[in-house]
Amino acid sequence: MKISYNWVKQFIKTDWNAEKTGKLLTDLGLEVEGIEQFESVKGGLEGIVVGHVLTCEKHQNADRLKLTTVEIGADEPLQIVCGAPNVAAGQNVPVATIGTTLYTPEGEAWKIKKGKIRGEVSEGMICAEDELGLGKSHEGIMVLDEKLAPGTPLKEIFDVETDFVYEIGLTPNRADAMSHFGVARDLKAGLLQQEINTSLVSPSVSNFHVENRSKRITVEVENYDLAPRYCGVSISGVKVGPSPAWLQNKLKAIGISPKNNIVDATNYVLHELGQPLHAFDADLITDNKILVKPAKKGTKFTTLDEVERELHEEDLIITDTEKPLAIAGVLGGLHSGVTEKTSSVFIESAYFNPVSVRKTAKRHGLNTDASFRFERGVDPSITKYALKRVTLLILENAGGYVSSDIDDIYPNKIEDFQVFLTFSKINKLIGQEIPSDTIKSILASLDIRVNNVTETGLGLTIPAYRVDVQREVDVIEEILRVYGYNNVEFNEKLNASISNSSRFEDFKLQNLIANQLVGQGFYEMMANSLTTKTYVNLDQTLNPEHTVEMLNPLSQDLSALRQSMLFSGLEAVVYNLNRKNEDLKLFEFGKTYHNFPSGREEKKHLSLLVTGNRSQERWNNLTQKSDFFYLKGIIKAVLERLGFTETKSKASSSAIFSEGLKLDYKKQTLVEFGVVRNSVLKHFDIEQEVLFADFNWDALIKLVNQQQKIFKPIAKFPSIRRDFALLIDKEVAFNDIYDIAVKTEKSLLKNVNLFDVYEGKNLPEGKKSYAVSFTFLDEKKTLTDKHIDKIMNKLQQKFEKQLGASLR
């Protein structure tokens, strides 16, 4: 939210500089994220002076250029080459002297330098109004009043406004501060704590009066819950045109483009008081009647942004007897707004139900200045006051007269909140005793009225516009933010407790594995749990009926909670691939969500995504593609780090893998991994192979706590390795060889490793060759060849009998 400091100072008098005031606003909870200087004329006309043209002659070397001498109050006149057709001797003109910085309409800076133009020296520039930022004309140079003295700075002639604009990071609960008046109100309370007592001045509306009743627009509200208060008034005889410079400058300072004197007035009061307003062309209101009611389902309506929208039956609209005119609290209609032909207007000022406006705005994907404020709750007590304020501004800038009484439909007044505040609770929460007089002073400065005082506390009335202050703790928070967090003294005593936590807590193991993966070249990613519900259709093992859908989605792409970690990961992959980051190793700790018939369930996962090369390309290192077995090695390392050394592998049945495995431990699947199907990758426009692993993190954490950690000393005796080159059928897997080996020799066999695979030439049909190593170790003695040969013979017989293998 942008706030003009000059504008704030219209309500409260202070001589503090912008930076000091910004610090106080931050201390009050209105965090100032930045301060920018605003100038109504870019550059502030620095270096521009009045020049008197002494002579003006045709340039000898150019038909369209003229050679002038210009007096600017210096010792010698300047020689300036000028291309404007209207330059002539005897004129007073604006001159940009050497070293002056000018700005293009787009804001780009350029500097005036001494130079030669077609052989003649030019010592400055005679300017047009658009070159100075004083207008849009570029037909010729700007001619000034002949009474002005040469050398007079132009900034002394034209009113150049300089301002400082705050960028305030407003929290959603602070609806009361969504205006310049609201910020000034907070600033007054903060200054009072600095022992600076200043008054808060609100704009006067005492001049408002009804001229006649020739243009009365009747108003009917069908649902008072959706529109608790609605005010309107007619103004006739207006002349639509540009707003005065002061009003345009105020809007420009906070980033709003001026449109015309009617719309600008409504925008001005919106940002001044925080009350949204809307102006209708009164002559376009059929039967001079306004209806405030829910829309009929399916009604077509074209809004100001020229988009035709289909209205919902829960949308509150403003309509006449024939057609919709506006979506209440959100956006007006294209064909009912103010144009250059408008001569009469109907001004709306209302309080709409915040929940209704929020739902309507989200439903149509709209976020306007009006909806931003209505959603959070505006002040229902200033609805009529703001209407009078904007009416007087329109009369001042567009002429005309008030041609109806104000319709103020407010059947059920929104009451203020009643809260009882206890002194003991204040001291307990703040941790410091604050004098009761200080508390009362702070409350009064925040418009919180003290109704009664007892020995234990205060009976308070909270104004209705403070929607965030309805409980005792809310009042205490208000007292503390104004009193100042920095003014709360530190206690010399520090209390701390030591927790007795397990080494196997989730976050500890998560950090352990994250560090391991980072050490292996992985990067951690964090994807949004919200995703599109259509992704479920890419995985046949997922059920669309189990999707947890959002009631009020921000968009279709964020309409459901994910059932799988894969698809949000693939979004990250394609994002990187589109930026030529083709070698990726990513991991994510996250959750999936399911709406099962038995109830909703969320599960925690660790997912891995690998694609491209294992390492970066180097001159001394051959690149290797990341493949299924590389990912399997990473997975094994993770499981071993957690203590799972004995797992059983099975083929994966997941529909997302073209080939995959799952690793089980005690009948519980720990991880499922494999190569993602091309049909899934095609949906994301990914053309290279992607490997994916999904760890059941909840199961891992549960089983880790059951694991017994056994430590053994390093063996004193050497290990012995023997190799077999086995000729086996193609259907035989290494896992079959591994299982037979560990069952045959349980005590001495420490490791079985497949180090070479060969298929092809010189082998019988349907056969392949596995080169397998076996490592043996006896922790009590040195093994002999005779002993090892006996074991190897036994292994050979088992392989031949059970697998039909033979030695090559």
Side-chain angles (χ1 to χ4, degrees):
M1 181 180 72
K2 292 185 181 295
I3 292 293
S4 157
Y5 190 34
N6 286 352
W7 202 338
V8 168
K9 288 194 289 187
Q10 290 181 355
F11 305 115
I12 185 170
K13 303 301 179 185
T14 174
D15 56 359
W16 281 19
N17 62 40
E19 186 175 350
K20 187 176 180 180
T21 302
K23 186 178 182 303
L24 178 57
L25 289 174
T26 299
D27 291 341
L28 288 167
L30 303 179
E31 184 179 359
V32 176
E33 297 175 343
I35 305 176
E36 293 182 354
Q37 186 173 12
F38 168 79
E39 294 172 321
S40 59
V41 177
K42 188 75 171 176
L45 298 179
E46 288 292 339
I48 315 294
V49 298
V50 175
H52 181 72
V53 182
L54 299 175
T55 64
C56 180
E57 300 175 353
K58 184 178 176 299
H59 195 295
Q60 294 181 356
N61 302 321
D63 293 336
R64 296 186 179 181
L65 298 180
K66 295 178 181 178
L67 190 63
T68 67
T69 55
V70 184
E71 181 187 353
I72 63 166
D75 294 337
E76 296 289 337
L78 303 179
Q79 178 173 288
I80 300 176
V81 177
C82 181
N86 64 327
V87 65
Q91 294 174 334
N92 274 358
V93 295
V95 176
T97 56
I98 293 172
T100 298
T101 299
L102 297 179
Y103 297 86
T104 66
E106 293 75 28
E108 296 180 4
W110 59 288
K111 187 172 288 188
I112 300 296
K113 299 179 182 179
K114 182 177 180 180
K116 284 188 176 183
I117 301 177
R118 294 294 182 93
E120 294 289 350
V121 174
S122 185
E123 301 174 295
M125 177 178 170
I126 303 175
C127 302
E129 63 178 35
D130 68 328
E131 293 166 334
L132 298 175
L134 295 172
K136 297 181 179 180
S137 174
H138 193 72
E139 295 178 358
I141 54 122
M142 192 175 185
V143 180
L144 304 174
D145 190 337
E146 60 184 13
K147 297 179 181 179
L148 295 172
T152 304
L154 227 63
K155 64 182 180 181
E156 296 179 4
I157 302 169
F158 292 92
D159 185 17
V160 178
E161 182 175 352
T162 301
D163 194 2
F164 290 94
V165 179
Y166 299 113
E167 182 65 47
I168 294 180
L170 193 67
T171 52
N173 63 311
R174 292 301 309 276
D176 63 296
M178 292 187 297
S179 66
H180 286 76
F181 185 78
V183 171
R185 182 168 50 208
D186 254 22
L187 185 58
K188 176 183 180 297
L191 288 172
L192 188 61
Q193 289 305 301
Q194 304 289 328
E195 299 183 353
I196 300 174
N197 193 356
T198 181
S199 59
L200 187 65
V201 180
S202 58
S204 172
V205 294
S206 59
N207 290 334
F208 178 89
H209 69 280
V210 179
E211 189 77 18
N212 59 53
R213 294 166 179 81
S214 60
K215 193 69 175 179
R216 179 152 191 267
I217 308 291
T218 59
V219 178
E220 290 184 10
V221 178
E222 289 191 5
N223 190 321
Y224 296 126
D225 290 333
L226 300 182
R229 188 175 191 182
Y230 191 94
C231 296
V233 71
S234 299
I235 307 173
S236 299
V238 298
K239 185 176 181 181
V240 178
S243 297
W246 70 266
L247 178 52
Q248 292 194 37
N249 289 339
K250 283 288 186 289
L251 296 179
K252 288 178 181 177
I254 58 174
I256 296 176
S257 300
K259 291 180 175 60
N260 58 59
N261 45 14
I262 306 294
V263 175
D264 292 350
T266 61
N267 281 333
Y268 182 87
V269 176
L270 164 70
H271 291 277
E272 179 184 55
L273 302 177
Q275 171 64 50
L277 302 138
H278 190 71
F280 299 96
D281 189 322
D283 294 329
L284 300 178
I285 300 175
T286 304
D287 296 333
N288 290 333
K289 191 170 186 177
I290 287 288
L291 302 172
V292 185
K293 63 179 185 178
K296 292 182 179 179
K297 185 177 181 180
T299 302
K300 304 291 185 181
F301 178 56
T302 304
T303 46
L304 277 171
D305 55 2
E306 301 183 3
V307 175
E308 185 180 74
R309 305 178 188 277
E310 184 174 319
L311 299 179
H312 189 272
E313 66 267 22
E314 293 183 4
D315 293 337
L316 185 69
I317 60 170
I318 313 300
T319 179
D320 58 22
T321 56
E322 292 182 351
K323 60 189 180 298
L325 303 175
I327 301 176
V330 181
L331 193 61
L334 180 63
H335 304 297
S336 62
V338 175
T339 66
E340 294 179 354
K341 298 179 181 179
T342 299
S343 60
S344 298
V345 292
F346 175 78
I347 309 297
E348 164 194 283
S349 179
Y351 177 89
F352 296 118
N353 183 289
V355 175
S356 172
V357 174
R358 186 183 308 121
K359 287 183 176 180
T360 297
K362 296 296 183 187
R363 190 179 296 123
H364 295 289
L366 292 169
N367 182 22
T368 62
D369 282 339
S371 67
F372 178 81
R373 285 160 176 79
F374 278 127
E375 287 175 11
R376 289 156 176 79
V378 298
D379 185 356
S381 66
I382 67 165
T383 310
K384 188 174 182 179
Y385 167 74
L387 185 61
K388 290 182 177 181
R389 170 65 172 153
V390 76
T391 299
L392 293 175
L393 274 178
I394 291 173
L395 296 179
E396 177 185 341
N397 300 321
Y401 53 90
V402 180
S403 53
S404 76
D405 290 318
I406 291 179
D407 268 316
D408 185 6
I409 301 175
Y410 195 19
N412 304 309
K413 184 180 178 182
I414 298 174
E415 299 294 338
D416 294 337
F417 309 111
Q418 304 297 320
V419 173
F420 187 78
L421 178 67
T422 56
F423 294 125
S424 60
K425 187 76 169 180
I426 298 173
N427 300 335
K428 181 180 179 181
L429 288 184
I430 294 178
Q432 178 176 315
E433 185 174 347
I434 299 177
S436 59
D437 289 341
T438 302
I439 293 173
K440 293 176 186 177
S441 173
I442 291 173
L443 294 174
S445 68
L446 294 172
D447 290 347
I448 297 176
R449 190 169 67 250
V450 178
N451 298 323
N452 55 75
V453 182
T454 69
E455 292 183 0
T456 58
L458 306 171
L460 306 175
T461 297
I462 316 294
Y465 67 81
R466 289 310 304 268
V467 293
D468 60 321
V469 184
Q470 300 184 23
R471 304 169 301 167
E472 184 181 19
V473 290
D474 298 329
V475 179
I476 295 172
E477 182 183 5
E478 288 296 291
I479 294 170
L480 181 55
R481 75 176 181 85
V482 176
Y483 180 73
Y485 291 94
N486 295 334
N487 293 326
V488 177
E489 297 176 359
F490 287 101
N491 196 326
E492 294 181 359
K493 181 182 178 182
L494 178 64
N495 296 321
S497 60
I498 300 174
S499 62
N500 181 19
S501 63
S502 168
R503 294 190 304 111
F504 305 118
E505 287 191 41
D506 187 350
F507 76 95
K508 292 182 179 179
L509 295 176
Q510 183 172 317
N511 289 338
L512 180 74
I513 298 304
N515 289 334
Q516 177 173 324
L517 290 170
V518 168
Q520 291 174 311
F522 278 76
Y523 286 90
E524 184 171 10
M525 60 168 281
M526 286 181 281
N528 197 337
S529 293
L530 287 173
T531 185
T532 174
K533 59 183 179 182
T534 58
Y535 281 157
V536 177
N537 301 324
L538 299 176
D539 186 351
Q540 297 174 1
T541 55
L542 300 178
N543 189 340
E545 295 181 359
H546 296 164
T547 302
V548 180
E549 296 188 30
M550 302 298 292
L551 294 177
N552 296 301
L554 296 173
S555 69
Q556 289 302 313
D557 291 336
L558 300 171
S559 61
L561 291 169
R562 61 184 175 186
Q563 285 197 52
S564 170
M565 300 285 288
L566 173 62
F567 306 115
S568 53
L570 290 178
E571 287 178 346
V573 169
V574 75
Y575 182 89
N576 279 274
L577 293 179
N578 289 339
R579 285 152 183 81
K580 301 301 180 183
N581 297 325
E582 298 174 350
D583 303 326
L584 301 172
K585 289 188 283 188
L586 306 173
F587 74 94
E588 178 187 8
F589 288 96
K591 292 184 177 182
T592 59
Y593 307 84
H594 300 81
N595 189 13
F596 295 122
S598 58
R600 293 178 180 174
E601 184 178 285
E602 60 181 68
K603 299 178 182 178
K604 191 167 184 178
H605 300 255
L606 164 62
S607 65
L608 308 182
L609 280 156
V610 177
T611 185
N613 295 324
R614 300 185 188 183
S615 59
Q616 290 184 350
E617 191 176 27
R618 292 186 180 89
W619 68 273
N620 63 347
N621 182 31
L622 295 176
T623 57
Q624 283 183 292
K625 285 286 184 183
S626 298
D627 57 16
F628 180 88
F629 298 102
Y630 172 70
L631 179 61
K632 184 179 180 182
I634 297 292
I635 292 167
K636 283 282 191 179
V638 169
L639 293 177
E640 288 174 5
R641 188 70 180 88
L642 294 173
F644 300 99
T645 56
E646 297 180 2
T647 57
K648 293 185 178 181
S649 62
K650 295 180 181 178
S652 171
S653 59
S654 175
I656 61 173
F657 296 131
S658 58
E659 55 178 316
L661 287 177
K662 58 181 180 179
L663 301 181
D664 294 349
Y665 179 82
K666 292 184 177 179
K667 298 182 180 181
Q668 176 76 54
T669 298
L670 301 182
V671 59
E672 200 162 357
F673 63 98
V675 181
V676 181
R677 284 187 182 277
N678 288 332
S679 58
V680 177
L681 298 179
K682 186 177 180 181
H683 183 84
F684 292 87
D685 294 327
I686 298 175
E687 297 180 355
Q688 65 187 51
E689 186 179 77
V690 176
L691 303 152
F692 174 68
D694 184 14
F695 288 85
N696 185 343
W697 189 257
D698 287 334
L700 283 169
I701 295 301
K702 185 178 180 180
L703 292 169
V704 162
N705 287 303
Q706 301 173 6
Q707 290 286 91
Q708 289 186 351
K709 302 297 182 293
I710 301 174
F711 297 91
K712 295 181 179 180
I714 297 175
K716 298 179 180 180
F717 303 96
S719 61
I720 295 176
R721 167 177 163 163
R722 292 290 177 88
D723 300 341
F724 270 163
L726 297 173
L727 187 65
I728 55 177
D729 293 335
K730 283 188 175 182
E731 293 75 20
V732 176
F734 169 69
N735 203 52
D736 298 327
I737 298 173
Y738 179 87
D739 288 342
I740 292 172
V742 296
K743 288 179 181 178
T744 303
E745 179 52 58
K746 297 181 179 179
S747 60
L748 299 181
L749 183 60
K750 301 303 180 184
N751 187 41
V752 182
N753 180 51
L754 176 65
F755 64 89
D756 188 36
V757 177
Y758 176 72
E759 295 182 68
K761 193 175 180 180
N762 299 326
L763 289 183
E765 185 72 23
K767 296 289 185 177
K768 61 183 176 182
S769 175
Y770 272 5
V772 185
S773 67
F774 304 86
T775 304
F776 302 95
L777 174 67
D778 190 331
E779 297 177 355
K780 298 180 180 180
K781 64 182 179 180
T782 301
L783 291 171
T784 63
D785 288 341
K786 183 179 180 180
H787 195 173
I788 297 301
D789 289 342
K790 184 178 179 181
I791 296 174
M792 293 300 291
N793 288 333
K794 192 175 180 180
L795 288 174
Q796 180 182 345
Q797 292 172 11
K798 292 283 187 180
F799 294 149
E800 290 174 349
K801 182 178 180 180
Q802 297 183 26
L803 301 178
S806 60
L807 296 181
R808 290 186 65 194

